[in-house]
Amino acid sequence: METLWSRRPIIYEINTWVWLNELSHHYKHAIALGNVPMEQWDAIASLSVDALWLMGVWERSPKGIRIANENAGLQADFLHALPDYTPADNVGSAYCVRRYVVDEHLGGPEGLATARQMLAQRGLRLILDFVPNHVAQDHPWVYEHPEYFVQGTREDLAQAPSAFFGASGIVIAKGRDPYFPPWPDVAQLNAFSSGWRQAAGETLNLISEQCDGIRCDMAMLLLNSIFERTWDGRVGGRPPEEYWREVISAVRFQHPNALFLAEAYWDLEWELQQLGFDYCYDKRLYDRLEHDNAESIRLHLTARLDYQDRLARFIENHDEPRAAARFSPEKERAAAVTMLTVLGAKLLFEGQCEGRRVRPPVFLARRPVEPIDLDLRAFYHTLLAAVKRAGLREGEWRQCERTGWPGNSSYLNLGAWGWNQGQERYIVVVNLSECQSQGRVRMPWNELAGRTWHLTDVLSGDMFERDGGELQSAGLYVDLPAWKVHFLQFFNPA
């Protein structure tokens, strides 16, 4: 059932448990992956996306639920996101995996197979999670294969019970990121264990039989250098091979078309790409869109094109605040156009297009009811359709030089780039500031002179007529209000 991936896929993430819960309430009967109404799959396909990431399908941990129910900080987070929260809403963290088997509440393996078939019929691929750093404390491996885990001593357990737990006479470390306290509900896997590496490859092959791509949680934690620094003295010597090269190779031998997406931070994206990942999160672009100016974003987009084309761009996901809560309405639209018209894969989160502002913790089975922002939804549908129609998934991308004139440096607020595929040409100009800004944008093509060009803004419908000689010599003059954009299609009627 495996199929080739298109370049630069647009991936739509869904919080599976929450989504099915809401569908069950809407249709007034239990909805699981195997009986999602056809109209819901059609609605996802209508977004002009390429793949669906069903986040959180694996069996969740009863022990993890108990731990979360006793954690005052988590309970406060749950109440903040869901004011009428009750303990029944806590179904356990999606990243505290009890077994890599689709949770029966969500429809089990059979339900997932049906969902994948429904997606394939609509030309959509399926992505699932893999959590390489840790599993639930009640995962069968804890008892059957303690050698897979980072272990401690009884003294460790006595001195640091927040960092270790006991299981059948063995002391095991709780999972952690080196910059934060340990996660209380998970057991730390040992990336240097040859047995675990083999089991990881086998697990990934089992996952790959059920989907087309795998999103790997906190992938940089498994790099030899990071893992050694985090667990120095507890995990033995560094293996000669990197974890990801070893396990991805094991999967690609059986599933050559499997796509690997890394959640990655700390500027380690290039290193992970070299180890086999097709795409890595571009958290740096997200941060710059949120906090920095257009020049910072321009500089970010000057990186090698082959590197940029293997980044996954986003302005929200289940780990980040909702875009509608973090950005003003105008700034969100500018950020969305930027994210969706540069190189690389793109990641959208269900609810983003509707303007949801509450990001529920990944433990919860439901979220609050929120009004739909109809204007924002229409904007995203128009934008996504324009991106698909423009052929940006396959075309050639180049950043454009922009210039100003004495006394007016507002051109520095503009981001600009061009796409072409065959005779199709598009220019995107984004005012990434709160100020009205003007400038000239140099075209990235040399064959415009001698013709008159019709320019149509595919988002607004506005039309312009420009002389090709002026476009090629002086550049395209633009005057954009704060956070406004041009997404211009070039057409020569001659």
Side-chain angles (χ1 to χ4, degrees), residues 386 389-392 417 419 421 423-429 443 445 448 453-466 471 476 486-493:
R389 191 168 57 249
L392 303 193
W417 41 88
W419 284 91
Q421 183 179 22
Q423 297 303 308
E424 293 287 324
R425 295 180 178 85
Y426 291 83
I427 286 288
V428 177
V429 187
M443 299 295 99
W445 314 297
L448 301 180
W453 292 88
H454 292 183
L455 280 57
T456 301
D457 193 313
V458 298
L459 298 181
S460 68
D462 294 339
M463 301 183 68
F464 312 92
E465 190 174 285
R466 295 291 184 269
L471 289 174
L476 174 69
H486 283 316
F487 188 160
L488 300 171
Q489 179 180 20
F490 281 56
F491 175 67
N492 173 233

Side-chain angles (χ1 to χ4, degrees), residues 46-344:
S46 75
L47 287 170
S48 303
V49 299
D50 300 286
L52 181 66
W53 167 15
L54 285 173
M55 188 274 286
V57 302
W58 306 123
E59 186 179 305
R60 306 200 185 190
S61 164
K63 184 174 182 180
I65 295 172
R66 291 196 301 273
I67 292 171
N69 282 336
E70 295 167 0
N71 186 302
L74 285 175
Q75 293 296 302
D77 290 342
F78 299 166
L79 277 167
H80 179 74
L82 194 61
D84 60 343
Y85 164 78
T86 69
D89 295 314
N90 174 20
V91 294
S93 169
Y95 294 93
C96 179
V97 176
R98 169 70 170 73
R99 289 191 305 158
Y100 280 98
V101 177
V102 180
D103 201 297
E104 285 300 323
H105 181 89
L106 305 178
E110 299 81 8
L112 180 68
T114 298
R116 188 184 183 192
Q117 184 178 24
M118 293 299 101
L119 292 169
Q121 289 175 3
R122 292 158 177 81
L124 299 177
R125 289 160 184 79
L126 174 63
I127 292 177
L128 301 176
D129 290 294
F130 174 60
V131 188
N133 188 66
H134 51 261
V135 292
Q137 293 180 17
D138 51 357
H139 191 290
W141 287 337
V142 170
Y143 308 99
E144 297 169 4
H145 292 284
E147 71 276 12
Y148 290 176
F149 296 89
V150 176
Q151 296 187 16
T153 64
R154 293 187 179 278
E155 289 73 22
D156 291 326
L157 181 59
Q159 294 173 10
S162 64
F164 295 87
F165 70 99
S168 298
I170 304 289
V171 175
I172 293 176
K174 295 179 180 179
R176 62 172 302 210
D177 168 332
Y179 296 104
F180 294 95
W183 293 296
D185 54 351
V186 293
Q188 177 66 52
L189 289 158
N190 183 358
F192 290 178
S193 161
S194 60
W196 159 236
R197 288 189 174 198
Q198 182 176 344
E202 293 168 355
T203 300
L204 280 165
N205 270 312
L206 288 172
I207 294 172
S208 296
E209 290 172 4
Q210 302 173 74
C211 64
D212 307 290
I214 300 173
R215 181 266 189 187
C216 298
D217 185 70
M218 299 290 281
M220 72 288 175
L221 294 181
L222 285 299
L223 291 170
N224 280 351
S225 59
I226 301 294
F227 196 79
E228 185 175 56
R229 189 161 64 245
T230 304
W231 297 104
D232 185 36
R234 294 189 182 275
V235 291
R238 179 193 296 204
E241 185 60 276
E242 284 282 354
Y243 172 94
W244 285 117
R245 192 186 305 280
E246 190 172 326
V247 299
I248 291 176
S249 296
V251 176
R252 289 257 164 80
F253 182 75
Q254 295 189 36
H255 303 277
N257 298 323
L259 179 141
F260 278 84
L261 168 64
E263 180 190 17
Y265 307 106
W266 314 336
D267 296 323
L268 292 166
E269 298 84 6
W270 173 257
E271 186 172 346
L272 288 163
Q273 289 177 4
Q274 305 319 298
L275 296 178
F277 279 98
D278 298 283
Y279 298 98
C280 298
Y281 275 32
D282 187 5
K283 178 67 158 55
R284 187 69 65 185
L285 178 63
Y286 169 80
D287 289 339
R288 293 186 184 208
L289 284 168
E290 182 183 4
H291 299 295
D292 294 342
N293 58 25
E295 183 64 9
S296 169
I297 293 163
R298 185 191 71 80
L299 289 171
H300 185 71
L301 297 176
T302 61
R304 289 176 49 164
L305 299 187
D306 58 344
Y307 165 69
Q308 290 198 62
D309 224 359
R310 294 174 64 188
L311 294 174
R313 324 284 196 165
F314 57 87
I315 58 171
E316 70 168 71
N317 57 54
H318 72 263
D319 289 312
E320 304 293 349
R322 286 290 195 178
R326 184 54 61 95
F327 300 101
S328 69
E330 296 79 11
K331 186 174 181 179
E332 178 181 353
R333 286 163 169 79
V337 170
T338 301
M339 178 265 290
L340 282 163
T341 60
V342 295
L343 290 170

